[in-house]
Each structure stands twice: as structure tokens, then as C-alpha cells.
């Protein structure tokens, strides 16, 4: 079995392989603990295309939660700023219901593509929100307001974030 898994890794990581997505999906379907650890190492690696495929493979496993921790680290790693959007895009393969704060951070601090995709998730995913989740998000919002990377986007984000927070607070006030 390990030999078969290694062959899937080899095909997925081969830059000349036109069916790399197919092999990533197959690998995800058979990944054991050892394969998961190897995939996570690839996500952390320097070859972003392979890291992306490893994210895709991990999305097909029972290790999604652990994989998400690593994917968010990868998204926020400065070396990946230019390809951040690809890693945010692969998140659509994952259950994000417990990841409101992470998605919100991507929305605030991601590059244009990453931020746009994160906004789509914020609008479409049904998140499990608690008062603690909201406090954490507000902490990031305050940090953003005091350290915006792009002054021009502050007003736009304010117009989207403030009503979102108001709506969430009203939900908790009703309880």
C-alpha cells in the first residue's frame, strides 16, 4: 500500500504531470497518518504549486481540521503573498464553519484576490459564531483600523464590516 501511495505522491508532484489534480484527489482518498504528515510538509514547502495540490489532497481526507491550521499559516506566510489567492481558493473544498476569524483575517489582510474570495466566504458560509468569536474578530478589526495596508480600502471595508458586526451583536442580544 505504501508503494501505491508513494506513486501517487510522485505523480502529483511531477511538474510535467497533466493529471496532477486527479492524483491529488486519489491520494487524498487513501491518505493515512504518514501520508497526511507528508502532505502537510508539502503545504509548508517552497513549491507553491505542489503545496496547492497537497491542500487539495488533504481536503479529501479525514484530517481537514489539522490541514486547515497549516493552510491558514501558509496563507499568512509573507513568502506566499503573491499566491495567497490560490490557497484561499482551495478553502472552498473545506468545511469552514468554525473558521470565521481566520477567514475574516484573510479578508482584512489578504491581497486583492485573497480578500475578495474571503469576502465571498464571509457572505456564503454558515459560520458557528459565539460571543468569543465576535470579540476575536473585533480585535483583528481594530488592529486593521490602526494599521491599514491600503488607506483607500478602509472606508469600503468599514461599510461591509460594521453592519456585519452589528447584525452578529444583535443575534447575541436576543439570546
Amino acid at each position: 500500500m505504501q508503494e501505491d501511495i508513494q506513486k501517487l505522491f510522485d505523480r502529483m508532484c511531477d511538474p510535467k504531470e497533466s493529471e496532477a489534480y486527479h492524483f491529488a484527489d486519489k491520494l487524498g482518498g487513501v491518505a493515512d497518518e504518514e501520508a497526511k504528515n507528508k502532505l502537510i510538509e508539502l503545504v509548508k514547502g517552497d513549491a507553491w504549486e505542489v503545496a496547492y495540490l497537497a491542500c487539495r489532497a488533504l481536503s479529501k481526507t479525514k484530517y481537514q481540521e489539522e490541514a486547515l491550521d497549516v493552510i491558514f499559516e501558509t496563507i499568512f506566510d509573507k513568502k506566499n503573498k503573491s499566491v495567497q489567492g490560490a490557497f484561499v481558493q482551495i478553502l472552498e473544498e473545506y468545511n469552514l464553519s468554525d473558521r470565521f476569524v481566520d477567514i475574516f483575517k484573510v479578508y482584512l489582510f489578504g491581497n486583492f484576490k485573497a480578500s475578495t474570495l474571503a469576502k465571498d466566504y464571509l457572505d456564503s458560509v454558515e459560520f458557528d459564531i459565539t460571543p468569543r468569536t465576535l470579540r476575536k474578530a473585533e480585535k483583528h478589526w481594530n488592529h486593521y483600523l490602526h494599521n491599514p495596508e491600503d488607506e483607500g480600502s478602509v472606508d469600503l471595508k468599514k461599510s461591509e464590516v460594521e453592519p456585519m458586526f452589528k447584525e452578529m451583536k444583535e443575534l447575541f442580544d436576543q439570546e
Side-chain angles (χ1 to χ4, degrees):
M1 183 63 170
Q2 289 301 26
E3 199 176 296
D4 294 339
I5 288 177
Q6 187 54 53
K7 284 181 182 166
L8 292 172
F9 267 107
D10 294 343
R11 299 284 302 268
M12 180 187 84
C13 295
D14 181 350
K16 295 180 189 75
E17 177 57 66
S18 62
E19 298 288 317
Y21 283 96
H22 169 73
F23 292 105
D25 291 348
K26 276 184 90 160
L27 181 57
V30 297
D32 57 8
E33 183 85 20
E34 190 180 328
K36 173 211 56 166
N37 292 335
K38 193 171 178 181
L39 286 166
I40 284 175
E41 285 309 308
L42 290 174
V43 173
K44 294 177 179 178
D46 290 330
W48 80 265
E49 294 95 340
V50 172
Y52 177 87
L53 290 166
C55 292
R56 184 180 173 106
L58 284 162
S59 77
K60 311 289 186 229
T61 70
K62 63 183 177 193
Y63 307 108
Q64 275 208 5
E65 221 22 64
E66 196 177 337
L68 278 171
D69 292 337
V70 176
I71 294 169
F72 280 109
E73 283 173 30
T74 302
I75 288 168
F76 292 115
D77 189 328
K78 297 269 186 257
K79 76 177 184 200
N80 296 317
K81 189 76 170 171
S82 66
V83 292
Q84 216 175 30
F87 291 107
V88 176
Q89 191 167 3
I90 198 67
L91 292 174
E92 71 190 12
E93 301 291 328
Y94 288 83
N95 174 0
L96 299 173
S97 62
D98 291 330
R99 297 300 183 133
F100 176 81
V101 174
D102 293 316
I103 298 294
F104 185 68
K105 273 177 62 178
V106 173
Y107 169 65
L108 293 178
F109 300 107
N111 66 20
F112 181 77
K113 181 178 180 183
S115 181
T116 303
L117 289 167
K119 178 69 170 105
D120 286 345
Y121 296 139
L122 289 172
D123 291 342
S124 62
V125 172
E126 198 157 312
F127 292 100
D128 297 329
I129 305 284
T130 64
R132 183 170 183 254
T133 308
L134 184 56
R135 284 192 302 276
K136 283 179 156 183
E138 286 177 320
K139 189 179 116 197
H140 291 298
W141 176 238
N142 287 325
H143 177 77
Y144 170 81
L145 287 175
H146 297 304
N147 307 287
E149 287 182 27
D150 172 19
E151 289 288 338
S153 67
V154 173
D155 289 337
L156 173 65
K157 286 191 174 158
K158 256 187 190 178
S159 73
E160 294 171 337
V161 170
E162 288 175 352
M164 187 184 350
F165 280 171
K166 183 176 184 282
E167 191 177 318
M168 284 189 275
K169 284 178 181 169
E170 286 170 357
L171 285 174
F172 296 122
D173 289 344
Q174 291 171 3
E175 291 177 0

